[in-house]
Amino acid sequence: MNSAATATIPTATIPSVTTQGENSIGVEAIFQLLSQELQQSTKASAQNCHDVATRITTEVYRICSESKRIQASGAIENSAMTLAKHRLQQCLRYYQLGSNRGRVELHSTLSAIIYRYINPPQRQLSYQGRLTIIEDFLQGFYLEALNAFRRENQLGPTYRPQTLLELAEYMAFTERYGKRRIPLPGRQQQLIILRAQTFSQQQPPETNVDIEQAAEGSSNEADGSWEEPAVQQLRSTMATQAAPEPEEDTLRSVVVTELMDYLEQRQQSDCADYFSLRLQDLSTQEIEAVLGLTPRQRDYLQQRFKYHLIRFALLHRWELVHEWLEASLHTNLGLTPQQWQTYTSQLEDKQRSLLELKQQGQPDEKIAKTLGMSTAQLQKRWFKILEQAWEIRNSLVSGSGASTHE
């Protein structure tokens, strides 16, 4: 084992915590666990793993020392170990995703949380317009998170993530930073939502942005504002993000934002809230607490959301969703050859004809005229066709009957 893995962590960097009992683990043991796991799971240098493990251990014990709940529990060391492992897994997850995919995942997660809160007053934003505002907001939020990371880890004002492991550490911190609960009168709210609401309220009625000028720099050499560090960093970030994103991540982001937009258009803001919380992998109890619902009310909301989700996936934007699921018409709706043969043999004659015309790329108006039905009837039949294929795919994944999960 590399000597850095067993190096003694400087006592000045870790708060002193004293616990008693047979489950006492100790600061050193947690640090050693983190350092060894990082070295085994990444290609980072021993020193890099040492530095990241030190920062995670420091943060964990700071939280444990400041949390009244943890202090009152009498199980400080156990809580510290659980928290340290959670931080470690978050960091490794972003590390495994890599620089580009990790950035896309973080951006998608935060965008989904704030989507419905980015709504400047007296402005009717289009779908694309809202995405542009979200991009503007998140650029500033990433800088805020970086400054918070420097401050909380006592790093210098010029610190920047240099290695993939440090970038993963920063992205994991940024996600947690955005999800922090801020106590408000009678409730709690996530920090990033509060920031997004403030940002929206401060937007002017109309904002014109010259993207080419922002990317290339001002044509006026006397304009000193382009030399400011924040502007230079924004230009650098824009250049970095110019690289094409993985197609599956781009499609996922589009599906999420369009579903949010779909729910908003149908005045289903509570369903949008529920969806946003589901994207954060919150438990049922946590969702009920955040939305202030009883279990019965939450169950009703969940069923209503599921109804709209199915309508969106099988009718409103079925082509987009099926492309994302790699279950388009070109791939026989994601079915195996044997399943496809069984599936088509079970269809009614008009359903089979409709499916064949769809595969030929015929427009709905022409298909409806060919089959002698109205557009509404065509959509109803098509919904049923996709639903049957959906059930077969779910049955394939679950190994049993059709899935009832969202």
Side-chain angles (χ1 to χ4, degrees):
M1 180 65 67
N2 193 302
S3 59
T6 57
T8 302
I9 188 168
T11 56
T13 64
I14 298 294
S16 176
V17 179
T18 303
T19 59
Q20 295 180 350
E22 59 182 11
N23 292 327
S24 177
I25 299 168
V27 178
E28 182 71 17
I30 290 180
F31 165 75
Q32 296 294 348
L33 170 68
L34 294 173
S35 182
Q36 291 173 15
E37 285 290 335
L38 289 172
Q39 290 194 63
Q40 293 173 4
S41 303
T42 72
K43 296 180 181 179
S45 68
Q47 183 61 49
N48 199 186
C49 294
H50 177 282
D51 294 341
V52 173
T54 298
R55 288 193 287 268
I56 294 177
T57 307
T58 303
E59 180 191 17
V60 164
Y61 273 96
R62 177 180 58 79
I63 293 173
C64 290
S65 64
E66 294 177 356
S67 171
K68 295 180 180 179
R69 179 183 60 81
I70 294 177
Q71 290 291 325
S73 70
I76 299 175
E77 296 299 339
N78 287 340
S79 298
M81 178 59 81
T82 300
L83 193 57
K85 289 181 178 179
H86 179 258
R87 294 287 192 268
L88 173 66
Q89 291 305 315
Q90 284 184 313
C91 183
L92 290 178
R93 173 172 169 267
Y94 278 107
Y95 181 89
Q96 291 163 0
L97 286 172
S99 175
N100 290 333
R101 289 174 60 89
R103 189 161 52 239
V104 170
E105 178 69 19
L106 175 63
H107 200 78
S108 177
T109 298
L110 298 182
S111 297
I113 295 174
I114 64 172
Y115 181 83
R116 66 179 302 265
Y117 299 95
I118 293 290
N119 188 24
Q122 301 177 345
R123 292 180 65 183
Q124 295 295 324
L125 289 178
S126 65
Y127 163 74
Q128 190 59 47
R130 187 171 294 198
L131 290 186
T132 301
I133 296 294
I134 289 175
E135 290 286 341
D136 292 342
F137 164 74
L138 285 178
Q139 291 304 324
F141 185 79
Y142 293 144
L143 291 176
E144 177 187 340
L146 179 58
N147 287 328
F149 182 80
R150 292 166 176 164
R151 182 177 61 253
E152 295 184 12
N153 289 283
Q154 299 180 350
L155 298 168
T158 60
Y159 169 83
R160 288 171 177 272
Q162 298 293 330
T163 67
L164 179 57
L165 179 57
E166 290 176 348
L167 180 61
E169 177 192 21
Y170 161 69
M171 289 193 289
F173 173 87
T174 301
E175 181 180 342
R176 295 195 303 271
Y177 181 72
K179 293 178 179 180
R180 285 182 181 178
R181 297 285 175 181
I182 306 300
L184 298 174
R187 63 189 179 95
Q188 290 186 337
Q189 186 60 281
Q190 290 178 312
L191 183 145
I192 193 172
I193 291 177
L194 296 178
R195 295 286 193 270
Q197 290 173 327
T198 301
F199 181 85
S200 292
Q201 294 168 2
Q202 293 174 345
Q203 291 300 296
E206 291 186 8
T207 303
N208 295 320
V209 179
D210 188 336
I211 295 299
E212 292 186 2
Q213 186 182 35
E216 301 298 333
S218 174
S219 59
N220 183 0
E221 296 297 334
D223 185 1
S225 63
W226 287 98
E227 301 304 321
E228 295 179 5
V231 177
Q232 294 293 335
Q233 187 168 4
L234 173 59
R235 289 172 58 191
S236 175
T237 303
M238 290 174 64
T240 301
Q241 292 188 342
E245 298 174 350
E247 183 179 1
E248 65 270 20
D249 292 317
T250 303
L251 284 173
R252 177 185 185 275
S253 179
V254 173
V255 169
V256 168
T257 50
E258 288 214 14
L259 177 54
M260 284 288 195
D261 198 43
Y262 173 85
L263 294 171
E264 292 289 349
Q265 289 175 358
R266 283 153 183 76
Q267 299 181 338
Q268 298 294 325
S269 59
D270 51 351
C271 287
D273 289 340
Y274 174 79
F275 180 44
S276 177
L277 296 175
R278 284 296 302 269
L279 288 172
Q280 301 172 50
D281 292 327
L282 295 186
S283 66
T284 299
Q285 292 75 18
E286 289 174 318
I287 292 176
E288 291 170 358
V290 172
L291 298 180
L293 301 176
T294 64
R296 184 173 182 178
Q297 290 172 327
R298 190 268 313 151
D299 182 66
Y300 173 73
L301 176 59
Q302 177 177 317
Q303 294 303 318
R304 184 150 49 89
F305 168 71
K306 185 176 180 181
Y307 167 81
H308 288 288
L309 176 64
I310 293 175
R311 300 285 295 180
F312 174 83
L314 301 185
L315 189 60
H316 179 71
R317 292 293 274 126
W318 71 267
E319 289 176 295
L320 172 66
V321 174
H322 282 72
E323 181 182 0
W324 174 51
L325 296 175
E326 298 182 350
S328 65
L329 285 171
H330 299 296
T331 59
N332 291 341
L333 298 178
L335 301 178
T336 65
Q338 183 178 359
Q339 288 176 323
W340 178 255
Q341 183 177 2
T342 303
Y343 166 66
T344 53
S345 66
Q346 295 174 348
L347 296 176
E348 299 174 358
D349 291 341
K350 278 199 171 183
Q351 287 180 321
R352 194 177 300 107
S353 298
L354 171 55
L355 178 59
E356 292 172 354
L357 292 171
K358 281 278 191 179
Q359 286 185 306
Q360 295 171 15
Q362 298 285 346
D364 285 356
E365 294 78 8
K366 186 175 181 179
I367 295 176
K369 185 175 181 180
T370 301
L371 298 179
M373 61 179 68
S374 66
T375 303
Q377 290 174 324
L378 183 148
Q379 291 180 342
K380 185 176 180 180
R381 287 179 181 271
W382 184 239
F383 181 93
K384 186 65 177 177
I385 290 173
L386 293 178
E387 187 178 38
Q388 289 175 259
W390 190 285
E391 290 175 353
I392 293 176
R393 285 197 307 276
N394 282 349
S395 177
L396 175 64
V397 172
S398 64
S400 57
S403 172
T404 58
H405 299 294
E406 298 165 15

